[in-house]
Coordinates of all heavy atoms in Angstrom, one line a residue:
A1 N -12.7 19.7 7.5 CA -12.0 18.5 7.9 C -10.5 18.7 7.8 O -9.8 18.0 6.9 CB -12.5 17.3 7.1
P2 N -9.9 19.5 8.6 CA -8.4 19.7 8.5 C -7.6 18.5 8.8 O -6.5 18.3 8.2 CB -8.1 20.8 9.5 CG -9.3 20.9 10.4 CD -10.5 20.4 9.6
E3 N -8.2 17.5 9.6 CA -7.5 16.3 9.8 C -7.9 15.2 8.9 O -7.3 14.1 8.9 CB -7.8 15.8 11.3 CG -7.2 16.7 12.4 CD -7.5 16.1 13.8 OE1 -8.1 15.0 13.9 OE2 -7.1 16.8 14.7
G4 N -8.9 15.5 8.1 CA -9.3 14.6 7.0 C -10.7 14.0 7.2 O -11.3 14.1 8.3
A5 N -11.3 13.5 6.1 CA -12.6 12.8 6.1 C -12.5 11.8 5.0 O -11.6 11.9 4.2 CB -13.7 13.8 5.9
V6 N -13.4 10.8 5.0 CA -13.2 9.7 4.0 C -14.5 9.5 3.3 O -15.6 9.6 3.8 CB -12.8 8.4 4.7 CG1 -13.8 7.9 5.7 CG2 -12.4 7.3 3.7
V7 N -14.4 9.1 2.0 CA -15.6 8.8 1.2 C -15.2 7.5 0.4 O -14.0 7.4 0.0 CB -16.0 9.9 0.3 CG1 -14.9 10.3 -0.7 CG2 -17.3 9.5 -0.5
K8 N -16.1 6.6 0.2 CA -15.9 5.4 -0.6 C -16.2 5.9 -2.0 O -17.3 5.8 -2.5 CB -16.8 4.3 -0.2 CG -16.4 2.9 -0.8 CD -17.2 1.8 -0.2 CE -16.8 0.5 -0.8 NZ -17.5 -0.7 -0.1
Q9 N -15.2 6.4 -2.7 CA -15.4 7.0 -4.0 C -15.9 6.1 -5.1 O -16.5 6.5 -6.0 CB -14.1 7.7 -4.4 CG -12.9 6.8 -4.7 CD -11.7 7.5 -5.2 OE1 -11.8 8.6 -5.8 NE2 -10.5 7.0 -5.0
T10 N -15.6 4.8 -5.0 CA -16.0 3.9 -6.0 C -17.5 3.6 -5.9 O -18.0 3.0 -6.8 CB -15.2 2.5 -5.8 OG1 -15.3 2.1 -4.4 CG2 -13.8 2.7 -6.2
A11 N -18.2 4.1 -4.9 CA -19.6 3.9 -4.7 C -20.4 5.2 -5.0 O -21.6 5.3 -4.7 CB -19.9 3.5 -3.3
V12 N -19.7 6.2 -5.6 CA -20.3 7.5 -5.8 C -20.5 7.7 -7.3 O -19.6 7.5 -8.1 CB -19.4 8.7 -5.3 CG1 -20.1 10.0 -5.6 CG2 -19.2 8.5 -3.8
A13 N -21.8 8.1 -7.7 CA -22.1 8.3 -9.1 C -21.3 9.5 -9.6 O -21.0 10.4 -8.9 CB -23.6 8.6 -9.3
P14 N -20.9 9.4 -10.9 CA -20.1 10.6 -11.5 C -20.7 11.9 -11.3 O -20.0 12.9 -11.1 CB -20.0 10.2 -13.0 CG -20.1 8.7 -13.0 CD -21.1 8.3 -11.9
S15 N -22.1 12.0 -11.4 CA -22.7 13.3 -11.2 C -22.6 13.9 -9.9 O -22.8 15.1 -9.7 CB -24.2 13.1 -11.6 OG -24.8 12.2 -10.6
M16 N -22.2 13.1 -8.8 CA -22.1 13.6 -7.5 C -20.7 13.7 -7.0 O -20.5 13.9 -5.8 CB -23.0 12.8 -6.5 CG -24.5 12.9 -6.7 SD -25.1 14.6 -6.4 CE -24.9 14.6 -4.6
R17 N -19.7 13.5 -7.8 CA -18.3 13.5 -7.4 C -17.9 14.9 -7.1 O -17.0 15.1 -6.3 CB -17.4 12.9 -8.4 CG -17.7 11.4 -8.5 CD -16.9 10.7 -9.6 NE -15.4 10.8 -9.4 CZ -14.7 10.0 -8.6 NH1 -15.4 9.1 -7.9 NH2 -13.4 10.2 -8.4
R18 N -18.6 15.9 -7.7 CA -18.4 17.3 -7.3 C -19.8 17.8 -6.9 O -20.7 17.7 -7.8 CB -17.8 18.2 -8.3 CG -16.3 17.9 -8.5 CD -15.7 19.0 -9.4 NE -14.2 18.9 -9.5 CZ -13.5 18.1 -10.3 NH1 -14.2 17.4 -11.2 NH2 -12.2 18.1 -10.3
H19 N -20.0 18.3 -5.7 CA -21.4 18.8 -5.4 C -21.3 20.0 -4.4 O -20.5 20.0 -3.5 CB -22.1 17.6 -4.7 CG -23.5 18.0 -4.2 ND1 -24.5 18.2 -5.2 CD2 -24.0 18.3 -3.0 CE1 -25.6 18.5 -4.5 NE2 -25.4 18.6 -3.2
R20 N -22.2 20.9 -4.7 CA -22.3 22.1 -3.8 C -23.8 22.2 -3.4 O -24.7 22.2 -4.3 CB -21.9 23.4 -4.5 CG -22.1 24.7 -3.8 CD -21.6 25.8 -4.6 NE -22.1 27.1 -4.2 CZ -21.5 27.8 -3.2 NH1 -20.4 27.3 -2.6 NH2 -22.0 29.0 -2.8
G21 N -24.1 22.3 -2.2 CA -25.4 22.3 -1.7 C -25.6 22.9 -0.3 O -24.6 23.0 0.4
P22 N -26.9 23.2 0.0 CA -27.1 23.8 1.3 C -27.2 22.7 2.4 O -27.7 21.6 2.2 CB -28.5 24.4 1.2 CG -29.2 23.6 0.1 CD -28.1 23.2 -0.8
A23 N -26.6 23.0 3.6 CA -26.6 22.1 4.7 C -28.0 21.9 5.3 O -28.8 22.9 5.4 CB -25.7 22.6 5.8
R24 N -28.3 20.7 5.7 CA -29.5 20.4 6.6 C -28.8 19.7 7.8 O -28.4 18.6 7.7 CB -30.4 19.4 5.8 CG -31.1 20.1 4.6 CD -32.0 21.2 5.0 NE -33.0 20.8 6.0 CZ -34.2 20.2 5.7 NH1 -34.5 19.9 4.4 NH2 -35.0 19.9 6.6
V25 N -28.9 20.4 8.9 CA -28.0 20.0 10.0 C -28.9 19.2 11.1 O -29.9 19.6 11.5 CB -27.4 21.2 10.7 CG1 -26.5 20.8 11.9 CG2 -26.6 22.0 9.6
F26 N -28.3 18.1 11.6 CA -28.9 17.3 12.6 C -27.9 16.9 13.6 O -26.7 16.6 13.3 CB -29.5 16.0 12.0 CG -30.5 16.3 10.8 CD1 -30.0 16.3 9.5 CD2 -31.8 16.5 11.1 CE1 -30.9 16.5 8.5 CE2 -32.7 16.8 10.1 CZ -32.2 16.8 8.8
D27 N -28.3 16.8 14.9 CA -27.4 16.4 16.0 C -27.5 15.0 16.3 O -26.9 14.5 17.3 CB -27.7 17.3 17.2 CG -27.3 18.7 17.1 OD1 -26.4 19.0 16.2 OD2 -27.8 19.6 17.8
S28 N -28.2 14.2 15.5 CA -28.2 12.7 15.7 C -28.8 12.1 14.5 O -29.4 12.7 13.7 CB -29.1 12.3 16.9 OG -30.5 12.5 16.6
Q29 N -28.5 10.8 14.4 CA -29.0 10.0 13.3 C -30.5 9.9 13.3 O -31.1 10.0 12.2 CB -28.4 8.5 13.4 CG -29.0 7.6 12.4 CD -28.3 6.2 12.5 OE1 -27.9 5.6 11.5 NE2 -28.3 5.6 13.7
E30 N -31.1 9.8 14.5 CA -32.5 9.6 14.6 C -33.3 10.8 14.0 O -34.3 10.6 13.3 CB -32.9 9.4 16.1 CG -32.5 8.0 16.6 CD -31.1 7.9 17.1 OE1 -30.3 8.9 16.9 OE2 -30.7 6.8 17.6
E31 N -32.8 12.0 14.3 CA -33.4 13.2 13.8 C -33.4 13.2 12.3 O -34.4 13.6 11.6 CB -32.7 14.5 14.3 CG -32.8 14.7 15.8 CD -31.9 15.9 16.2 OE1 -31.7 16.8 15.3 OE2 -31.5 15.9 17.3
A32 N -32.3 12.8 11.7 CA -32.1 12.8 10.2 C -33.1 11.7 9.6 O -33.8 12.0 8.6 CB -30.7 12.4 9.8
V33 N -33.2 10.5 10.2 CA -34.1 9.5 9.6 C -35.5 10.0 9.6 O -36.3 9.8 8.6 CB -33.9 8.2 10.4 CG1 -35.0 7.2 10.0 CG2 -32.5 7.6 10.1
E34 N -35.9 10.6 10.7 CA -37.3 11.0 10.9 C -37.6 12.1 9.8 O -38.7 12.1 9.2 CB -37.5 11.7 12.2 CG -38.9 12.2 12.5 CD -39.1 12.8 13.9 OE1 -38.2 12.6 14.7 OE2 -40.1 13.5 14.1
T35 N -36.7 13.0 9.5 CA -36.9 14.0 8.5 C -36.9 13.5 7.1 O -37.7 13.9 6.3 CB -35.8 15.1 8.6 OG1 -35.8 15.6 10.0 CG2 -36.0 16.2 7.6
I36 N -36.1 12.5 6.8 CA -36.1 11.9 5.5 C -37.4 11.2 5.2 O -38.0 11.3 4.2 CB -34.9 10.9 5.4 CG1 -33.5 11.6 5.5 CG2 -34.9 10.1 4.1 CD1 -32.3 10.7 5.7
L37 N -37.8 10.4 6.2 CA -39.1 9.6 6.0 C -40.3 10.5 5.9 O -41.3 10.1 5.3 CB -39.2 8.6 7.2 CG -38.2 7.4 7.2 CD1 -38.5 6.6 8.4 CD2 -38.3 6.6 5.9

């Protein structure tokens, strides 16, 4: 995000303020919801 990205930091638990993890990539919201459910 060279131009920037935003997070509502006051809504993030301390344990997740720094996180490293593998990407699970989706090209739409619908694909992501189906996979989560």
Side-chain angles (χ1 to χ4, degrees):
E3 293 182 4
V6 64
V7 61
K8 192 171 182 178
Q9 62 176 338
T10 51
V12 180
S15 61
M16 290 296 291
R17 291 176 65 79
R18 285 188 173 92
H19 180 71
R20 173 180 166 83
R24 296 293 306 277
V25 182
F26 304 94
D27 288 340
S28 73
Q29 173 178 233
E30 288 81 358
E31 294 175 27
V33 169
E34 181 180 346
T35 303
I36 296 166
L37 292 176

